[in-house]
Amino acid sequence: MDRPGFLLDLITGADTDLDSVQQLADSAAVALAASAGVPVDAAATLTRAGNLPATAGSATLAYNVASSEDRYSDGPMAQAAASAAPVQVTGENSSQRWEPYRRRLVGAGYGTALAVPLALDPRSSCALVFLGPAGFEFTPELVGEATWFAAVASQSMKLAIEVRSVRSAGDNLKAVLESRTSIDVACGVIMAQNRCSYTEAFGKLAGVSRQRNLKVRSVAENVLKALPSGSPATRFEPPALA
């Protein structure tokens, strides 16, 4: 790998956390295989507060090995994320602690696994696992390469999470504004029809909402749809610059 200026993009074409994790696993496999000189598969798991874990692999077998950690609550990825240090499991000389994982590893056709953590915010954790063929060993140099790649990936994943959070916040704000606009316009219609105040008009919407077990916004939209001209379109435009 060309270290100077190396940048891992986990945003372009990635609409979800899973998309970013998939790009991470694919890129990791290609990057380390170039240094190892043999085919290396990779998988990654991202866990964020309030979300289900997102796991992806550069190959189906790699995905299966990584996702099994979540099912059995064992494996080097969880240990690497907890200790913030690389963890290696080999097919032959592993401690008893890794025996169940080792059997799954060998059963998938791999000989060794190297898990490295990504440094994210306190509410998120992510780990990569590199999976080598039988008889292969991750040398100290390769462990260093994997650790360096994880450090670069950490910054990329942080940015991907931040961008996605900003997009989500923007979508939520737009939904709130659209909801508020529908309610305000419906209240205006009711005020005109009943010669009442805004408070009284909103009270009527709220009353129907309770009676029909609907959201106030849904009741408001029904009022607008009943207009002869139909529901008016909601538009949000930036203010004109002087």
Side-chain angles (χ1 to χ4, degrees):
M1 290 182 289
D2 181 15
R3 288 174 179 263
F6 182 86
L7 178 65
L8 183 62
D9 180 10
L10 300 180
I11 300 175
T12 304
D15 296 325
T16 65
D17 285 346
L18 183 58
D19 291 335
S20 291
V21 174
Q22 183 66 63
Q23 290 187 186
L24 172 62
D26 291 340
S27 299
V30 172
L32 208 66
S35 299
V38 298
V40 173
D41 289 338
T45 295
L46 170 66
T47 303
R48 297 176 62 191
N51 295 276
L52 293 174
T55 299
S58 62
T60 300
L61 288 174
Y63 166 79
N64 291 340
V65 170
S67 60
S68 73
E69 286 201 31
D70 186 49
R71 292 198 302 273
Y72 297 103
S73 300
D74 66 354
M77 296 174 72
Q79 177 64 21
S83 64
V87 177
Q88 187 169 181
V89 177
T90 63
E92 297 178 355
N93 301 315
S94 299
S95 66
Q96 190 63 31
R97 171 183 181 179
W98 304 115
E99 184 59 23
Y101 177 84
R102 187 197 68 80
R103 289 198 296 267
R104 300 197 303 273
L105 181 70
V106 173
Y110 298 111
T112 184
L114 171 65
V116 290
L118 274 66
L120 302 179
D121 64 80
R123 293 171 54 84
S124 305
S125 65
C126 185
L128 267 168
V129 63
F130 297 93
L131 303 166
F136 178 77
E137 180 182 354
F138 288 103
T139 64
E141 290 75 20
L142 287 175
V143 173
E145 288 287 353
T147 303
W148 174 81
F149 182 90
V152 174
S154 297
Q155 301 305 315
S156 301
M157 187 60 77
K158 283 181 182 178
L159 183 58
I161 291 173
E162 289 174 1
V163 168
R164 201 161 290 119
S165 296
V166 170
R167 288 175 179 170
S168 177
D171 290 342
N172 290 339
L173 177 59
K174 182 179 179 181
V176 170
L177 291 175
E178 289 177 343
S179 176
R180 186 71 255 180
T181 299
S182 297
I183 293 171
D184 285 345
V185 174
C187 283
V189 172
I190 295 172
M191 290 166 64
Q193 292 176 343
N194 295 273
R195 299 181 182 276
C196 62
S197 67
Y198 180 93
T199 300
E200 292 171 325
F202 185 85
K204 291 181 182 294
L205 286 178
V208 175
S209 171
R210 289 191 296 270
Q211 292 172 5
R212 300 183 181 179
N213 195 28
L214 295 172
K215 293 182 178 180
V216 174
R217 176 184 177 180
S218 297
V219 176
E221 290 175 344
N222 289 336
V223 170
L224 299 181
K225 289 177 183 177
L227 293 174
S229 58
S231 179
T234 302
R235 297 180 58 189
F236 298 100
E237 298 181 352
L241 298 177

